[in-house]
Amino acid sequence: MADKFLKRENLGRLIDSVRNGGARFVAPAIDARQAVYRAISGADEVTWDYILPRNSFKDYLFPQTEVVAEYSIGEGGVEIRGRELSPKDTVVFGSRPCEAASLASLRSVFTWDSVDEFYTAREDKTTVVTVACTNGDEACFCTTVGLSPESVAGSDVMLRETADGDFSVTAITGRGRGFLSAHSAAFEDSGSGSAQKPLFVPEKIEGVDISRIKERLARKEHYDDPVWAGLTRKCIGCGACTFVCPTCHCFDIIDEGTAFEGERRKNWDACQFDSFTLHASGHNPRDAQFKRWRNRFMCKFNFYPNKFNSRGCVGCGRCIRVCPVRLDITEVMEEMSR
Ligand code: SF4
Ligand code: SF4
C-alpha cells in the first residue's frame, strides 16, 4: 500500500522544498531534443516524455572527469594535496527501476579491495526516486535479466503513475522514509482513488538464457570461438555504449599540468577504445575490436555475477539505442545462449 501520493502539479513544491533544504534536484529534462538527467531549478524544466534519459544518472555519482589531487614540486620537494570531498545532497528524480538496480553493481566495484570514496561519499548522499515504467520500447529487456518495470532494488522511493496522471508514493528504504517526511508538504495522505496506469512489461527475449550464457562464458575455449569476430565485426570502437551504460565504471588516472605543478584527474575510460589495454611496451593483449567487445560482454555476464554476485547488465537497452551501427547486445545474448 502506498505511503503517500504526489499530485503532478505539486512537483514544483517538491523541487522547491528539496532545493531550499540545500540539496540538488536532478531529473530528466529535454536538451537538444533528448531527455537527459540534469540539475533542475523548477518544474517547468522537467520532462515526463521519456523512456530513459540518454545519459545514466551515474554522471552524478561518478563524474566524467574530476580532480582527485593536486601536486607541486618546489625546493622542499614534491607536495601532493588530496582533494577534499564534500558532495552535495542530491535527489535523483525520475529514475527507472533498471537503472536504480545498477547501483549495487557500481557499489560492488567501487568498494572492492579498497573503497573509492569519490564514489561512495556521493552515493551516500543521494536519494533515488524511481518512477515505475508505463512506457518503453523495443530496446528494453529488463525482464530477460530478472528485473521488472517495478523492481525496487536501488530505489529509496518508488512512484507508480495513476490513470489520472498523479502518483502513488512508497518509501523503500530508511532514506526514502526520511525524504517523505522532510518534504511532507509536497505529498498528500490520500489519492483520488484512480486506478494505477498499466505498466510496460517487456517480453522476455525468446531464446536468451542467462544461466546458459554464464556457463558458456565460464569455459575457456569460448575465447577462441570464431563467433565473436562475426557477431561484433561492425563495432567501430566509439565507446558510446560504455558511456551511457549505468553499470560501466572504468576510469583512468592522468596528470595534467607542468613538471612543477598540476592536477591528478580521474577520467572516464572505455574498454572499447583500442588504447584501453595498450601497454607501454606497445603490446596490446586486446589487439582487435572483437576482443574488446568480448571483454565487455564477459564483464556483464561473467565477471560481475561471479565476483560480486551482482548484475553487470540491467537490461536498460541504452547501449542498443545509442550504438551508431546498431550492434544489439541482445543478439549476442541470443547467440551465446545457443
Ligand atoms: S549493457 Fe546495455 S542494456 Fe545492459 S545495462 Fe549496459 S547499457 Fe543497459
Ligand atoms: S556503441 Fe556500438 S560501435 Fe560504439 S563501441 Fe559500442 S558496440 Fe561498438
Side-chain angles (χ1 to χ4, degrees):
M1 192 177 134
D3 297 312
K4 294 279 178 187
F5 291 84
L6 175 67
K7 285 184 176 289
R8 199 176 280 235
E9 72 217 35
N10 284 345
L11 179 64
R13 196 181 285 179
L14 178 62
I15 295 172
D16 289 346
S17 176
V18 167
R19 296 184 79 239
N20 291 341
R24 184 168 56 164
F25 193 94
V26 172
I30 297 296
D31 188 0
R33 292 185 291 170
Q34 294 174 26
V36 293
Y37 284 114
R38 87 166 185 229
I40 296 291
S41 53
D44 55 342
E45 295 171 44
V46 176
T47 181
W48 297 98
D49 184 17
Y50 68 100
I51 294 169
L52 268 171
R54 171 61 60 100
N55 58 334
S56 158
F57 72 68
K58 74 179 177 184
D59 298 19
Y60 292 88
L61 308 172
F62 166 41
Q64 293 185 15
T65 180
E66 68 179 315
V67 176
V68 293
E70 288 160 12
Y71 66 86
S72 54
I73 303 170
E75 286 178 3
V78 178
E79 189 191 350
I80 298 176
R81 298 174 297 278
R83 181 55 72 95
E84 284 299 313
L85 248 189
S86 50
K88 213 173 161 68
D89 283 313
T90 298
V91 172
V92 173
F93 181 91
S95 154
R96 296 300 191 195
C98 54
E99 180 155 48
S102 69
L103 287 178
S105 312
L106 291 178
R107 185 102 194 172
S108 304
V109 77
F110 284 120
T111 55
W112 165 44
D113 224 22
S114 61
V115 175
D116 182 337
E117 289 172 2
F118 286 88
Y119 174 83
T120 56
R122 289 193 179 94
E123 200 208 297
D124 291 345
K125 292 211 151 203
T126 300
T127 304
V128 178
V129 181
T130 299
V131 181
C133 307
T134 52
N135 62 351
D137 65 11
E138 70 285 351
C140 295
F141 65 98
C142 63
T143 48
T144 302
V145 294
L147 292 167
S148 84
E150 54 181 346
S151 297
V152 297
S155 299
D156 295 300
V157 176
M158 178 64 84
L159 268 55
R160 288 279 307 265
E161 194 174 349
T162 59
D164 56 11
D166 295 330
F167 300 91
S168 63
V169 181
T170 308
I172 308 298
T173 62
R175 190 184 294 166
R177 282 188 285 282
F179 174 79
L180 296 193
S181 134
H183 307 294
S184 57
F187 298 103
E188 317 286 319
D189 289 329
S190 57
S192 65
S194 163
Q196 293 203 318
K197 207 168 162 183
L199 295 174
F200 173 84
V201 185
E203 274 186 34
K204 273 192 183 177
I205 302 168
E206 205 179 320
V208 171
D209 179 342
I210 300 293
S211 47
R212 172 89 187 99
I213 294 173
K214 287 182 189 162
E215 191 189 305
R216 184 159 170 185
L217 296 181
R219 286 194 240 128
K220 287 216 168 62
E221 57 268 28
H222 89 81
Y223 273 95
D224 300 319
D225 193 330
V227 78
W228 286 114
L231 281 170
T232 61
R233 184 171 292 123
K234 61 185 177 179
C235 175
I236 56 171
C238 67
C241 51
T242 65
F243 284 0
V244 296
C245 177
T247 65
C248 279
H249 53 264
C250 289
F251 62 86
D252 196 10
I253 297 288
I254 60 157
D255 289 341
E256 282 183 358
T258 67
F260 303 103
E261 60 180 359
E263 296 171 334
R264 176 154 290 184
R265 281 187 169 271
K266 177 180 172 190
N267 292 334
W268 282 9
D269 203 348
C271 60
Q272 298 307 295
F273 295 157
D274 58 2
S275 58
F276 186 76
T277 48
L278 181 62
H279 297 183
S281 65
H283 171 64
N284 192 341
R286 292 188 211 132
D287 56 358
Q289 194 56 35
F290 81 87
K291 295 181 184 174
R292 301 189 266 276
W293 216 95
R294 182 183 62 198
N295 174 76
R296 183 163 188 269
F297 195 82
M298 288 285 286
C299 192
K300 306 289 174 203
F301 297 103
N302 181 299
F303 307 151
Y304 263 82
N306 289 346
K307 186 154 194 72
F308 304 123
N309 195 24
S310 65
R311 277 183 194 83
C313 173
V314 294
C316 69
R318 274 201 181 97
C319 56
I320 302 168
R321 294 184 198 97
V322 81
C323 179
V325 297
R326 295 294 289 181
L327 208 170
D328 185 336
I329 193 169
T330 62
E331 290 172 12
V332 183
M333 291 166 74
E334 282 182 71
E335 179 57 38
M336 284 292 139
S337 299
R338 284 194 193 117

